[in-house]
Amino acid sequence: MITLICGSMYSGKSTTLLMKIQRAIYGRKKAVLIRAKIDDRGYFTHSLGNEELRQFVENKKLTVLEISEFTEEKVNELCNFFDSIFIDEFFMIKNCALLAKKSLPSNDVYFGGLIATSENEVFSEMIEILPYCDEIVKLNGVCMECGSQLGNYSLYKGGNKTQTIEVGDINKYKCVCKECYLKINGRL
Ligand SMILES: [Zn+2]
């Protein structure tokens, strides 16, 4: 089964992914967490700051890999060895659709990530995996401006971006609702 966990920044995607990882491990599945390895900037996503996650890794219950691109060989290797495959920030990894397409019916694959850039341009990786997803979980965050539960926009706070994916945290991005997004952009 393939599940997509998507939404804006700070909508709880990684927390939801962690919950799924816990369930897989408690169910004695062979589990792997794949994170994006981004060129020369090292890898991003959230650190292994979560204590439970760190213990899973230390106790060899969870394998963590950094990948920049899915190849045919890598996909076959992953699907044959692991039961449960978790991908955090999948849109930063090239060729995700190959994993979605080639995974076996016995594999549980979870893709977690943003739908679009802070300019609301949908990531091509997102579009490419959609036909293969059996379940889609769409999360909203809390608006960090007004407190609305409809925080659906990732607002970039740093002026002009130099690249489509700019690795950042709470200092660079915040989650806002449509009303606040439009107000901040002077369109309301
Ligand atoms: Zn708001």
Side-chain angles (χ1 to χ4, degrees):
M1 178 164 169
I2 299 181
T3 304
L4 169 63
I5 300 164
C6 59
S8 65
M9 286 193 151
Y10 310 111
S11 60
K13 299 183 300 295
S14 295
T15 310
T16 305
L17 206 61
L18 175 62
M19 196 180 77
K20 301 291 186 187
I21 291 172
Q22 287 169 330
R23 291 182 70 94
I25 290 171
Y26 296 154
R28 299 175 177 278
K29 305 285 186 191
K30 273 194 243 172
V32 59
L33 170 62
I34 297 167
R35 308 164 91 195
K37 182 179 187 178
I38 296 201
D39 304 331
D40 54 352
R41 284 176 295 159
Y43 67 87
F44 164 65
T45 70
H46 309 280
S47 67
L48 280 179
N50 180 281
E51 183 54 32
E52 193 162 18
L53 206 54
R54 195 161 40 222
Q55 281 191 13
F56 286 153
V57 176
E58 275 172 21
N59 297 331
K60 310 229 179 303
K61 288 181 176 168
L62 177 69
T63 303
V64 178
L65 298 175
E66 290 164 35
I67 290 180
S68 55
E69 181 175 5
F70 286 106
T71 60
E72 195 98 19
E73 194 186 358
K74 179 57 78 184
V75 165
N76 287 338
E77 207 180 290
L78 288 168
C79 295
N80 287 318
F81 189 79
F82 293 103
D83 306 308
S84 304
I85 303 169
F86 301 90
I87 305 100
D88 198 11
E89 311 289 16
F90 74 88
F91 60 95
M92 293 188 187
I93 306 175
K94 284 184 200 141
N95 228 357
C96 283
L98 194 63
L99 174 62
K101 191 175 172 180
K102 299 272 179 170
S103 63
L104 307 167
S106 57
N107 294 131
D108 280 323
V109 183
Y110 293 86
F111 290 99
L114 291 171
I115 296 173
T117 66
S118 48
E119 289 74 35
N120 294 325
E121 285 167 19
V122 180
F123 290 110
S124 59
E125 290 79 3
M126 166 65 70
I127 296 168
E128 286 158 15
I129 66 166
L130 278 180
Y132 306 103
C133 293
D134 300 298
E135 185 185 22
I136 298 173
V137 178
K138 162 66 173 62
L139 300 169
N140 285 324
V142 173
C143 176
M144 294 176 177
E145 285 287 314
C146 75
S148 152
Q149 296 294 314
L150 296 176
N152 191 25
Y153 295 78
S154 302
L155 183 75
Y156 182 68
K157 302 194 287 180
N160 291 327
K161 281 203 291 188
T162 51
Q163 51 218 1
T164 313
I165 300 173
E166 187 164 318
V167 174
D169 54 17
I170 200 143
N171 297 314
K172 280 191 182 158
Y173 293 95
K174 70 159 110 173
C175 178
V176 294
C177 70
K178 184 167 194 176
E179 192 175 344
C180 292
Y181 183 82
L182 292 177
K183 274 183 188 162
I184 290 164
N185 285 297
R187 285 159 55 197
L188 199 72

